[in-house]
Amino acid sequence: MTANIEATAQTALAPEPATRNARPLRLITCGSVDDGKSTLIGRLLWDTKAVKEDQADALERDNRHQQNDLGLPDFALLLDGLQAEREQGITIDVAYRYFSTDRRSFIVADTPGHEQYTRNMATGASTADLAVLLVDARAGILEQTRRHATIATLMGIRQFVLAVNKIDLIAYDEAVFNRISGEFRQFALSVGVTDVTAIPMSALLGENVVHPGSASMPWYSGPPLVEVLELATQRTAQTVGFRLPVQRVSRPDESFRGYQGTVAGGSVKPGDSVVVLPAGTVANVKQIVTFDLVRNAAVAGDAITLVLDRHVDVARGDMIASIDAAPALGRAFEAKLVALSADAITAGKRYWLKSSSRRQRVRVMPKTRLDLKSGQWEGAESLPLNAIGTVHLDFDEAAMFDPYETNRNTGAFILIDPDTNNTVAGGMIVERTTRVDGIDAGGERDHVLLSLPEHLADRLMASEAFAELRDHVEIRRVSGTRAAAVLKDVD
Amino acid sequence: MSETKPPLDPNLKALESEAIHIFREVAAEFERPVMLYSVGKDSSVLLHLARKAFFPGRIPFPLLHIDTGWKFKEMIAFRDRIAAEFDLDLVTHTNPRGKLEGVTPFTHGSSVYTNIMKTEALRQALDAGQYDAAFGGARRDEEASRAKERIYSFRTPDHRWDPRNQRPELWSIYNGQIRKGESVRAFPLSNWTEVDIWRYIQAENIPIVPLYFAAERPVVERDGMLVMAEDARLELLPGEVKRRETIRFRTLGCFPLTGAIRSNATTLDDIIGELETATVSERQGRAIDRDEAGSMEKKKREGYF
């Protein structure tokens, strides 16, 4: 939180032109072709001069029906890079676009909007700091909008821009804009998102994208999209415990032994006490080595070589962490999963799990699946392509993770099918668990029996919080009389 | 180079760290990596990042240069100087068909020539070295089909790219699982833009081929392109006049296929200033991209970088 505030303050102090004083902001755009997504991205690239004349010429060359009324190129063609996409007029895959202003550089993950491409959206959202949700002012919030917001939230995005596009087609009606943005804010709150900026916009006419649209919308006093992006905060992993997943051991000669990796959380300095996981060996940091100089500190995001003060056994896949704030170490974890493959994630199947630089065997047990229409979590035994669900992970050997909520780097993983070598799921750790094997486990008075009407119980069980903890709960459906009798037996 | 070098700005620092991370990951996961080295500005940045990634050790893999035989002379001189200075394991390969069948950019046209002397040559060299991972300096901002390329881009045993069937790539977790014969092309500069490359060259004082800087050089105008007329193998066509102009290159490749631009940019500051007001993309000077729509995608499917 502190870091976020600092980042905002930093960017708010008008930086010198032509120096990028921040890391590139990564964002994802969600919406379908009909909402004008390609036009919006095209407009961003065009108005920030990221598209050059020869690229626009090439568009005109391969396309006869090109050009819109404004004499601009057909942006969709510029963006759909693959031949199959141009032929079918649809966006299939995630594409990355780059543009910059004097203040900041931006990386846009441009993903298709249709439901069958949930996996592409999840891919784009995995690295994004902010999501731009596009709606057609004439249509308002659709089921698709809610679905995109849900997926983005799940993947850890907490900043949203609602771009109410085609506002020119409803005569710049402020009341309609207010209704749509109000409806979205309410929905966003229900999924825990408070940071929403709504912008009335005409991507086609370039109003409130890069340049202000005040001539047509004097009633809108907020910033155009690019200004919101310039000031957006970045997720930082600098305030959590130190984490260095070891990628490789550097031993150029007998006298030097360094552990190379990218700091995945917190910060480190010479003298710090660290623990090497999973072994649990303790050591102190002697040196932080980089090509340029020996440094006196490193923070999350830095690629470094760490030298310890004693000889300990460290290999690729191990994690060097702060001794007083180590990640959870265990053989069983709960996680959320996005299924990315046509082959469903099936109960009991063994996969390779890769997280940071560590790869290990895991058995996956699906528990629930999110119904994207209703927002409810329902029981599930497998997760087909594009499904989002909760799973239980069982490892053969110790694994280390942080909850994804706390640290996106050390809480994320992918599953690889050992039969096909394909990446079949992306996952986010919820927490470490110990399997509750029946009611006998545990001591006196550490269990709670709840009895409640079925409709209330169903609502409770469909909630996200419950879905994550389902493994811990024993459920029986009985009549009200029987429930009363059971409870009577207990004090 | 000196202690007074100012720290990188956060933008370049983030890009640098990401690239180093990718280098280390590939070097750790694959048995026989190789780095494609084209001698151009992106390769120069790539090489610099590789040196940083493995410091204080040496770069733990060879560099491969596909020499078509038609590169600018200054490029070859620069390559050999750098290889010696940085103590690199440099492998060069030229497709023997060039000599045997007399394949040249003039006799066979740019498309056939590129396919044989670059794409086929690359496949030969990768097979000969049994490399299971190859680093390349491609950037996603260069061209539309590259915008969709993964950082770990999977290739079949015959080096083909299937853009419809790419592995999803989430966070910065890369799937390096392959079967024998399959390979991965890895792109540490995926998220860099052309301006980032130049700013980084400036900030890190990275040596580059002098052809990137403006100087008076002999040129002829051919098919709307300014072709450098220094090599005796460039025969003037009827009506073509060789003259001296102040030019430079935005990209470097084979001299008959790489167009120069008229420019007075003699310093990195000049080049960056020129870029910020440029109205055409860097690949505009490349004849091979202009053959047909989707031409880069087609070449990539066949194994081109």
Side-chain angles (χ1 to χ4, degrees):
Chain A
M1 268 299 148
T2 326
N4 281 356
I5 291 160
E6 276 167 16
T8 317
Q10 213 174 40
T11 39
L13 297 169
E16 289 173 45
T19 54
R20 315 281 192 267
N21 275 340
R23 284 186 287 138
L25 183 83
R26 303 191 66 136
L27 60 133
I28 179 171
T29 51
C30 319
S32 68
V33 180
D34 306 334
D35 301 327
K37 184 168 64 76
S38 295
T39 311
L40 172 63
I41 296 172
R43 176 56 80 178
L44 274 171
L45 300 184
W46 191 257
D47 285 0
T48 57
K49 304 190 169 53
V51 178
K52 306 297 187 187
E53 279 169 15
D54 58 313
Q55 292 165 320
D57 285 351
L59 287 179
E60 287 168 34
R61 229 186 18 249
D62 22 290
N63 176 36
R64 312 291 161 228
H65 55 273
Q66 24 109 324
Q67 297 226 342
N68 56 40
D69 304 342
L70 301 168
L72 296 171
D74 183 336
F75 292 130
L77 284 167
L78 180 74
L79 302 176
D80 291 336
L82 301 178
Q83 237 155 22
E85 295 178 317
R86 284 194 295 270
E87 282 156 21
Q88 296 167 36
I90 54 157
T91 310
I92 297 165
D93 208 336
V94 188
Y96 294 89
R97 320 284 174 199
Y98 303 83
F99 68 94
S100 57
T101 65
D102 284 346
R103 287 180 165 189
R104 205 174 205 179
S105 299
F106 302 93
I107 303 176
V108 185
D110 176 13
T111 63
H114 307 287
E115 185 163 9
Q116 66 264 39
Y117 299 119
T118 293
R119 69 169 189 163
N120 299 77
M121 214 207 114
T123 302
S126 70
T127 49
D129 303 297
L130 177 148
V132 177
L133 297 178
L134 213 68
V135 297
D136 184 331
R138 297 168 300 178
I141 306 296
L142 302 175
E143 182 202 316
Q144 175 181 261
T145 320
R146 283 188 280 266
R147 181 161 51 80
H148 289 161
T150 305
I151 298 168
T153 310
L154 196 87
M155 300 303 290
I157 297 175
R158 295 292 174 267
Q159 293 175 95
F160 285 85
V161 171
L162 182 76
V164 182
N165 193 27
K166 304 191 186 181
I167 194 86
D168 52 315
L169 299 183
I170 56 157
Y172 302 100
D173 189 334
E174 184 184 3
V176 174
F177 169 74
N178 286 339
R179 181 177 54 71
I180 294 172
S181 50
E183 189 187 336
F184 182 75
R185 277 177 211 284
Q186 207 168 15
F187 169 75
L189 269 181
S190 76
V191 291
V193 173
T194 51
D195 187 346
V196 177
T197 309
I199 305 175
M201 181 184 292
S202 168
L204 187 69
L205 302 176
E207 293 169 323
N208 281 336
V209 181
V210 174
H211 307 297
S214 38
S216 325
M217 290 164 273
W219 49 265
Y220 175 73
S221 56
L225 175 62
V226 156
E227 276 179 38
V228 176
L229 301 180
E230 284 178 335
L231 297 174
T233 55
Q234 264 156 337
R235 227 179 202 232
T236 166
Q238 293 183 6
T239 52
V240 296
F242 169 66
R243 307 279 183 265
L244 183 77
V246 177
Q247 288 184 281
R248 62 193 295 276
V249 180
S250 170
R251 262 180 306 176
D253 57 58
E254 287 306 310
S255 67
F256 186 89
R257 193 182 176 90
Y259 306 109
Q260 302 191 313
T262 305
V263 180
S267 59
V268 67
K269 58 184 192 309
D272 283 359
S273 294
V274 291
V275 59
V276 182
L277 296 172
T281 334
V282 173
N284 298 310
V285 174
K286 187 176 158 199
Q287 255 186 350
I288 301 162
V289 177
T290 68
F291 184 81
D292 301 291
L293 65 173
V294 171
R295 297 168 50 155
N296 49 23
V299 297
D302 293 351
I304 60 164
T305 302
L306 203 67
V307 180
L308 301 180
D309 68 343
R310 68 197 77 168
H311 184 89
V312 286
D313 195 16
V314 183
R316 171 174 168 83
D318 289 353
M319 193 188 296
I320 302 176
S322 47
I323 202 158
D324 51 358
L329 186 70
R331 292 194 179 193
F333 286 83
E334 302 301 311
K336 286 177 185 156
L337 217 61
V338 182
L340 307 169
S341 158
D343 302 320
I345 300 297
T346 37
K349 184 173 161 96
R350 287 158 65 84
Y351 296 91
W352 282 115
L353 179 145
K354 194 178 175 197
S355 169
S356 302
S357 58
R358 190 172 176 85
R359 196 193 68 168
Q360 56 194 129
R361 289 281 192 175
V362 69
R363 204 163 54 95
V364 180
M365 302 298 291
K367 297 189 301 177
T368 63
R369 177 178 173 184
L370 175 64
D371 180 347
L372 280 166
K373 281 197 178 71
S374 65
Q376 302 209 318
W377 298 79
E378 295 157 353
E381 260 129 50
S382 72
L383 297 171
L385 178 62
N386 290 319
I388 293 168
T390 55
V391 297
H392 181 84
L393 304 173
D394 263 320
F395 293 92
D396 294 352
E397 292 168 358
M400 335 37 111
F401 293 105
D402 288 298
Y404 187 75
E405 271 299 308
T406 320
N407 189 329
R408 226 170 168 177
N409 301 316
T410 49
F413 62 87
I414 59 170
L415 292 183
I416 300 166
D417 187 329
D419 303 328
T420 61
N421 282 341
N422 274 333
T423 306
V424 294
M428 292 147 283
I429 294 293
V430 175
E431 60 170 2
R432 176 179 52 191
T433 54
T434 37
R435 246 192 133 80
V436 183
D437 292 320
I439 282 180
D440 299 338
E444 288 283 312
R445 299 185 70 85
D446 66 351
H447 268 66
V448 177
L449 292 182
L450 298 174
S451 168
L452 62 170
E454 187 173 28
H455 71 278
L456 287 180
D458 284 342
R459 264 176 63 189
L460 184 67
M461 288 190 286
S463 72
E464 191 175 338
F466 189 90
E468 287 167 7
L469 304 170
R470 202 178 178 98
D471 257 17
H472 304 278
V473 182
E474 296 252 335
I475 300 160
R476 304 279 186 281
R477 286 175 194 266
V478 294
S479 67
T481 335
R482 175 95 173 97
V486 170
L487 288 176
K488 214 174 147 206
D489 285 348
V490 187
D491 318 319
Chain B
M1 298 288 133
S2 66
E3 301 91 63
T4 53
K5 186 166 86 76
L8 284 176
D9 73 54
N11 183 55
L12 291 178
K13 181 87 186 299
L15 293 169
E16 178 190 77
S17 292
E18 181 184 56
I20 290 176
H21 181 85
I22 295 162
F23 264 118
R24 289 170 171 174
E25 199 63 8
V26 173
E29 283 197 302
F30 291 86
E31 281 172 28
R32 292 181 65 83
V34 67
M35 183 184 122
L36 266 289
Y37 178 63
S38 75
V39 201
K41 63 182 194 308
D42 302 282
S43 277
S44 297
V45 167
L46 202 60
L47 173 60
H48 185 74
L49 290 163
R51 294 176 62 220
K52 281 194 156 189
F54 303 107
F55 179 86
R58 284 181 85 226
I59 297 176
F61 42 77
L63 270 65
L64 171 65
H65 181 227
I66 300 301
D67 189 349
T68 56
W70 294 89
K71 300 291 172 189
F72 293 90
K73 280 181 196 143
E74 282 182 69
M75 289 174 75
I76 302 301
F78 178 87
R79 176 195 76 187
D80 295 340
R81 178 170 76 76
I82 292 292
E85 193 177 323
F86 296 147
D87 184 25
L88 306 170
D89 299 328
L90 177 71
V91 179
T92 63
H93 176 75
T94 305
N95 190 341
R97 280 179 70 187
K99 227 176 216 136
L100 280 173
E101 300 173 23
V103 180
T104 76
F106 307 118
T107 51
H108 288 67
S110 69
S111 178
V112 173
Y113 162 80
T114 301
N115 189 34
I116 296 172
M117 297 310 287
K118 292 174 95 172
T119 311
E120 187 180 288
L122 176 63
R123 290 199 302 251
Q124 290 168 346
L126 292 176
D127 286 341
Q130 293 182 300
Y131 302 115
D132 55 359
F135 294 100
R139 310 188 319 266
R140 286 173 179 153
D141 82 323
E142 278 180 87
E143 198 271 338
S145 68
R146 286 197 164 153
K148 310 218 162 178
E149 179 121 30
R150 305 294 189 257
I151 286 174
Y152 270 34
S153 184
F154 177 82
R155 300 300 152 107
T156 60
D158 56 353
H159 307 288
R160 282 174 192 277
W161 181 55
D162 180 1
R164 294 296 308 263
N165 199 19
Q166 300 193 80
R167 292 175 177 175
E169 203 161 74
L170 288 85
W171 300 288
S172 51
I173 309 174
Y174 307 110
N175 176 355
Q177 306 265 113
I178 54 167
R179 292 197 178 89
K180 202 167 165 48
E182 296 170 342
S183 65
V184 157
R185 304 269 173 99
F187 299 108
L189 304 181
S190 288
N191 288 321
W192 295 54
T193 63
E194 189 184 9
V195 178
D196 296 328
I197 293 288
W198 284 110
R199 288 219 173 95
Y200 190 71
I201 287 171
Q202 186 175 46
E204 294 285 297
N205 199 12
I206 298 171
I208 51 168
V209 181
L211 290 166
Y212 285 111
F213 297 104
E216 204 185 86
R217 297 183 172 102
V219 288
V220 295
E221 203 155 341
R222 180 174 291 181
D223 301 332
M225 246 175 29
L226 277 180
V227 178
M228 194 154 119
E230 187 188 48
D231 195 299
R233 293 172 295 177
L234 182 80
E235 287 171 29
L236 294 192
L237 302 174
E240 281 182 348
V241 193
K242 190 151 108 176
R243 54 174 191 270
R244 294 188 71 81
E245 281 200 52
T246 303
I247 56 151
R248 65 176 203 92
F249 293 85
R250 270 177 90 181
T251 67
L252 290 176
C254 298
F255 79 83
L257 301 176
T258 310
I261 55 168
R262 292 187 177 90
S263 163
N264 294 312
T266 54
T267 65
L268 290 168
D269 274 331
D270 292 346
I271 290 174
I272 292 166
E274 197 179 84
L275 265 184
E276 282 171 345
T277 52
T279 56
V280 294
S281 80
E282 63 190 305
R283 297 209 72 90
Q284 198 253 353
R286 295 291 191 109
I288 61 163
D289 290 357
R290 301 197 288 179
D291 303 343
E292 57 192 288
S295 85
M296 177 66 88
E297 181 184 346
K298 189 163 159 281
K299 280 193 275 291
K300 283 170 61 63
R301 281 168 178 271
E302 289 158 0
Y304 185 73
F305 247 85

